[in-house]
């Protein structure tokens, strides 16, 4: 097993995030390979670790000053064993193939967990939408999709949003796709309601995270109700995590962005959440402005090279990291353990560094990996695809019911898989084992190609 990881590192030495994601899966599935020698024989793991296709392309566009700008665009089509490639697009200056490979690898397992026929993919660009005008974002999206259009399709590869890609960007890309292909199919998910989008798709990742957490707490005869909750991020996932926590009677007390976080001792209520949505989605402002508006809140600016994030040292019952990968380090994890947090639910993908995850797994905190607890977003993208295939719309109640069923099913499958292999209540191992077996069986059935 260690030779497989070594080989991955040797082939692509400058992709630490991909190595981290690969190592976590490899660590989990040892006993599965023992029990299923056919998986070893067919080199399933080695094959899952290599993208089926990786596309890199130039995106030229013109800014508001008339200057030509050049960015890089990517799509990693990781695995199509159980369905068309599916996964978001990220626009952020940190984007490079290693980040996208880690995300596409995680996505393959996440999509298998949903029970829907979706393979794994991820894409994006090092373009930074922050501070850009709507016109600049539109011109970038148009040029980006002019190339991506050659590689996607509603039965081939169906991208969605991620960091830096919300409904505005999806709209500009969908318009470009329609102009180029002269047809209206569900080539992207996260579309606006009224032009092919699904009700609740925007809310689904955050809502699903809270539903999953409620399942974890119910399993130990507890509930989200009344819990004080730390949330990081203030984008799509964080906003709808806060919203569902409020619906379920919990008390969210923090949100953040890449400049810092706010701690509101009195709790973020519906009105304050509406302010955050307006601030982040419409005005595209900074979270610091929350503390200027509400005297109950304190703002803490992020410091360069800080050894830990004081956000994770605030006393609370639950923690929901919903910003980005590796935002919680070992010291933060120690603080969460010291403060006797009951549950950590990952909204972001791989928000805990490997050392931090180890500390949490060795404690008695309930801990869900993103590939299980944030799968509600892609599951609802799958529901959007179904509606597009059928040419119809589901009601909000239908989508919400299906989302709750899927999150419950993922919870049950993770627990059963972890128990079957002797790891009691280990959601990380359970998620990896259940999804690996599913993708492995499909891989073997389809032959060596
Ligand atoms: P958004 O772009 O809507 O929001 C991202 C938030 O995280 C912003 O508050 C942003 O702050 C902050 N952030 C981003 N990068 C960093 C960084 N390097 N350091 C600190 N803060 C940062 O993205 P989403 O809410 O959609 O995505 C958040 C996470 O959830 C990601 O890990 C994504 O992969 C994952 N996810 C998203 C899904 C979805 O449906 N959207 C589905 C499943 C997972 P700032 O504004 O300053 O950049």
């Amino acid at each position: 097993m260690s030779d497989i990881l070594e080989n991955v590192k040797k082939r692509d030495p400058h992709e630490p995030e991909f190595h981290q994601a690969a190592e976590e899966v490899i660590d989990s599935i040892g006993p599965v390979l023992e029990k299923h020698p056919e998986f070893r024989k067919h080199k399933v793991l080695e094959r899952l670790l290599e993208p089926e296709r990786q596309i890199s392309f130039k995106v030229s566009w013109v800014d508001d000053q008339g200057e030509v700008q050049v960015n890089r665009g990517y799509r990693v089509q990781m695995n199509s064993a159980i369905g068309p490639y599916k996964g978001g697009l990220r626009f952020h200056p940190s984007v490079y193939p290693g980040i996208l490979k880690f995300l596409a690898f995680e996505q393959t397992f996440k999509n298998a967990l949903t029970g829907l026929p979706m393979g794994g993919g991820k894409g994006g660009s090092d373009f930074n939408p922050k501070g850009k005008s709507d016109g600049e974002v539109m011109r970038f999206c148009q040029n980006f999709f002019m190339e991506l259009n050659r590689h996607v399709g509603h039965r081939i590869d169906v991208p969605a949003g991620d960091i830096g890609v919300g409904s505005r960007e999806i709209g500009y890309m969908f318009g470009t796709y329609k102009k180029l292909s002269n047809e209206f199919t569900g080539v992207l998910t996260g579309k606006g309601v009224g032009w092919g989008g699904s009700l609740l798709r925007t809310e689904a990742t955050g809502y699903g995270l809270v539903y999953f957490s409620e399942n974890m707490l119910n399993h130990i005869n507890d509930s989200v109700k009344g819990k004080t909750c730390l949330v990081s991020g203030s984008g799509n996932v964080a906003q709808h995590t806060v919203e569902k926590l409020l619906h379920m009677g919990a008390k969210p007390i923090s949100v953040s962005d890449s400049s810092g976080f706010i701690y509101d001792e009195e709790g973020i209520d519906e009105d304050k959440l509406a302010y955050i949505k307006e601030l982040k989605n419409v005005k595209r402002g900074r979270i610091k402005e929350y503390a200027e508006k509400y005297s109950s809140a304190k703002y803490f600016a992020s410091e360069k090279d800080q050894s830990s994030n004081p956000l994770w040292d605030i006393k609370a019952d639950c923690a929901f990291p919903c910003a980005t990968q590796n935002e919680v380090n070992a010291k933060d994890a120690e603080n969460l353990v010291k403060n006797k947090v009951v549950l950590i639910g990952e909204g972001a993908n791989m928000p805990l560094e490997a050392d931090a995850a180890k500390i949490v797994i060795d404690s008695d905190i309930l801990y869900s990996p993103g590939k299980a607890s944030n799968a509600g977003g892609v599951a609802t993208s799958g529901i959007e695809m179904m509606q597009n295939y059928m040419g119809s719309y589901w009601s909000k109640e239908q989508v919400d019911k299906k989302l709750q069923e899927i999150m419950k099913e993922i919870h049950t499958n993770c627990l059963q898989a972890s128990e079957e292999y002797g790891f009691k209540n280990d959601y990380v191992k359970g998620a990896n084992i259940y999804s690996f077996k599913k993708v492995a069986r499909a891989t073997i059935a389809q032959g060596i190609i």
Side-chain angles (χ1 to χ4, degrees), residues 100-113:
L100 298 178
K101 269 171 70 183
F102 121 63
L103 289 164
F105 183 66
E106 291 277 294
Q107 194 82 44
T108 302
F109 296 94
K110 183 188 309 194
N111 293 1
L113 283 169

Side-chain angles (χ1 to χ4, degrees), residues 320-386:
F320 298 100
C322 296
T324 192
Q325 68 275 351
N326 292 330
E327 57 171 306
V328 178
N329 67 19
K331 180 77 189 117
D332 297 323
E334 280 167 9
N335 286 336
L336 290 162
V337 174
K338 175 196 75 184
N339 290 334
K340 297 196 169 30
V341 160
V342 183
L343 174 144
I344 299 176
E346 293 189 348
N349 286 308
M350 207 171 73
L352 270 62
E353 287 184 355
D355 290 355
K358 198 167 170 347
I359 290 165
V360 172
I361 289 167
D362 289 343
S363 75
D364 51 11
I365 295 176
L366 290 172
Y367 169 49
S368 65
K371 60 169 78 82
S373 49
N374 72 27
V378 74
T380 308
S381 276
I383 296 170
E384 181 173 331
M385 287 164 73
M386 282 184 224

Side-chain angles (χ1 to χ4, degrees), residues 130-240:
K130 228 178 275 171
K132 302 285 190 303
S133 69
D134 281 351
E136 289 177 318
V137 170
M138 181 179 75
R139 291 193 293 282
F140 173 80
C141 288
Q142 289 171 337
N143 285 288
F144 176 83
F145 211 80
M146 264 206 272
E147 173 65 31
L148 194 63
N149 188 56
R150 298 173 206 269
H151 311 287
V152 297
H154 74 141
R155 304 275 187 193
I156 303 167
D157 182 354
V158 185
D162 191 74
I163 291 178
V165 179
S167 53
R168 173 181 61 168
E169 291 76 15
I170 294 288
Y172 294 147
M173 288 190 271
F174 189 70
T176 312
Y177 144 77
K178 224 157 33 73
K179 185 86 178 167
L180 292 168
S181 56
N182 195 29
E183 63 172 11
F184 195 118
T185 62
V187 72
L188 287 154
T189 57
K191 299 185 289 299
V193 174
W195 46 277
S198 174
L199 287 161
L200 283 191
R201 171 59 190 93
T202 311
E203 295 87 344
T205 308
Y207 281 20
L209 170 62
V210 180
Y211 290 147
F212 193 90
S213 305
E214 180 70 357
N215 278 299
M216 291 168 87
L217 287 163
N218 286 171
H219 189 66
I220 58 158
N221 298 319
D222 202 345
S223 155
V224 162
K225 193 166 179 198
K227 296 273 186 295
T228 304
C229 302
L230 300 173
V231 177
S232 66
S234 51
N236 173 292
V237 180
Q239 289 171 16
H240 298 103

